[in-house]
Amino acid sequence: MLSKFNDIIPVGVRFMLLSALGFALMSACVKYVSVHGIPVFEIVAARALVSLILSYLDVKRKKISIWGNNKKLLLLRGTVGTLALMCVYYAVTALPLAEATILQYVHPVFTALLGVLFLKERIQGATMICIALCLLGVGLMVQPNMSDSITAQALPIHSVMIALLGAFGSSIAYVIVRKLSQTEDSSVIIFYFPLVALPVSTFLMWDEFVVPSLTITLLLVMVGIFTQIGQYGLTKAMQTQEAGKASAYSYVQIVFSTLLGVVIFSEIPSIWTYMGGGLIVTGALINVFGKKLLPKKLRYNS
């Protein structure tokens, strides 16, 4: 029975679906507590505190040093990740959940370009198609000259730019993680993120701290827990043989976030969001499967 279930839904896909659900629930919690008056920096601090405790326990469980080998690069990863997280959380609080999530999935564009610049990787033809579709998709979602159409108002450019900055920061952090993975344990890499995020966010939130109610406190804790669930599912999915196939299912997070936005926040995406999001997801999927689908002469550009 279990074997048949694995044939229908491979284990890597199941872990990726778990990851997508975890991150979608995290975003919903972030938006909910922000609506109830909790500042972004306080949300980041709460998430960092929970992640720091869980990450520390995980490192100790493995009986390895928490400080790692390349401390400078680990600190850089933590710093970049912290700045990116602040941008992502701001975008979640300022934009509808669906739009904020879709804009995060522009990150393959930045990751590919950074890989060319810093890791000397060759850019694939599929990635060029992905870049073009993502740029077109973002343009449709923002639709600055179409706000008088039959759809809702155009997205605020300021919030969109911060969301894209968050995606860019996430891409930088991802490239650094790929470099660190050659010398560092994954648990140590994860540990350095909250190690930097907690003191930075605590300092920034100090004058704006809001004492949360018991319910909001529990939701702040859930932000950290759902984050760990998302990271756990992602890590397990990437360790499977069908990692490439499983990664395509990460885009189900957009579906989860859209549904949560409709049910909890009464957010109805516009036609431009569907069109732009469709182009971005299509471009990302072409980037995932491009090696197999494109002719050899189109796979790479020098």
Side-chain angles (χ1 to χ4, degrees):
M1 188 71 177
L2 181 60
S3 177
K4 291 182 179 180
F5 184 71
N6 288 335
D7 291 337
I8 298 173
I9 306 179
V11 62
V13 172
R14 277 182 279 148
F15 276 120
M16 189 57 76
L17 293 175
L18 174 65
S19 173
L21 180 60
F23 286 131
L25 289 171
M26 175 207 72
S27 296
C29 288
V30 169
K31 192 171 188 71
Y32 187 89
V33 298
S34 72
V35 169
H36 287 76
I38 305 299
V40 171
F41 294 137
E42 187 172 340
I43 301 173
V44 173
R47 177 257 167 98
L49 178 60
V50 175
S51 295
L52 185 67
I53 294 172
L54 295 177
S55 300
Y56 177 80
L57 293 175
D58 187 45
V59 173
K60 285 301 181 181
R61 178 183 63 82
K62 292 183 176 181
K63 298 181 179 180
I64 57 178
S65 171
I66 61 174
W67 305 116
N69 300 306
N70 194 337
K71 297 179 180 62
K72 290 183 178 179
L73 198 57
L74 284 165
L75 284 171
L76 179 61
R77 182 267 181 272
T79 302
V80 172
T82 297
L83 296 175
L85 182 67
M86 290 176 178
C87 291
V88 170
Y89 277 10
Y90 176 86
V92 168
T93 63
L95 296 169
L97 271 182
E99 282 83 344
T101 304
I102 290 171
L103 290 171
Q104 266 299 295
Y105 279 95
V106 179
H107 67 79
V109 174
F110 297 128
T111 301
L113 295 177
L114 290 169
V116 172
L117 292 175
F118 297 105
L119 300 180
K120 307 303 179 184
E121 297 176 347
R122 297 179 64 190
I123 192 166
Q124 300 181 12
T127 302
M128 296 299 295
I129 297 174
C130 172
I131 292 172
L133 290 177
C134 284
L135 292 176
L136 180 58
V138 170
L140 283 177
M141 286 180 61
V142 176
Q143 36 112 17
N145 298 319
M146 302 178 187
S147 57
D148 294 328
S149 66
I150 60 174
T151 65
Q153 292 184 350
L155 297 177
I157 299 297
H158 175 259
S159 299
V160 170
M161 294 304 296
I162 291 180
L164 293 176
L165 184 61
F168 178 64
S170 298
S171 299
I172 296 176
Y174 178 70
V175 172
I176 295 174
V177 167
R178 285 164 63 183
K179 183 70 174 178
L180 284 170
S181 297
Q182 301 173 8
T183 59
E184 310 293 340
D185 185 89
S186 60
S187 297
V188 175
I189 298 174
I190 294 173
F191 173 75
Y192 265 81
F193 183 19
L195 185 67
V196 174
L198 182 57
V200 171
S201 57
T202 300
F203 173 78
L204 293 174
M205 76 162 185
W206 200 254
D207 292 335
E208 299 181 350
F209 178 74
V210 175
V211 179
S213 65
L214 178 59
T215 300
I216 297 300
T217 299
L218 292 175
L219 287 173
L220 286 170
V221 173
M222 292 309 297
V223 169
I225 292 176
F226 283 136
T227 300
Q228 292 297 116
I229 291 174
Q231 290 178 338
Y232 171 78
L234 180 62
T235 301
K236 296 296 288 185
M238 291 297 100
Q239 290 175 344
T240 64
Q241 292 181 347
E242 60 276 341
K245 178 182 177 181
S247 64
Y249 287 83
S250 66
Y251 295 91
V252 175
Q253 183 183 341
I254 296 174
V255 177
F256 291 148
S257 293
T258 301
L259 292 175
L260 289 169
V262 171
V263 173
I264 300 176
F265 306 104
S266 300
E267 299 171 344
I268 308 298
S270 70
I271 185 63
W272 301 110
T273 295
Y274 288 118
M275 293 172 62
L279 287 173
I280 291 172
V281 173
T282 299
L285 292 177
I286 289 175
N287 189 47
V288 171
F289 297 110
K291 285 185 178 181
K292 296 181 179 179
L293 298 180
L294 289 180
K296 288 184 178 180
K297 65 179 180 180
L298 295 179
R299 290 180 185 177
Y300 293 96
N301 288 304
S302 56

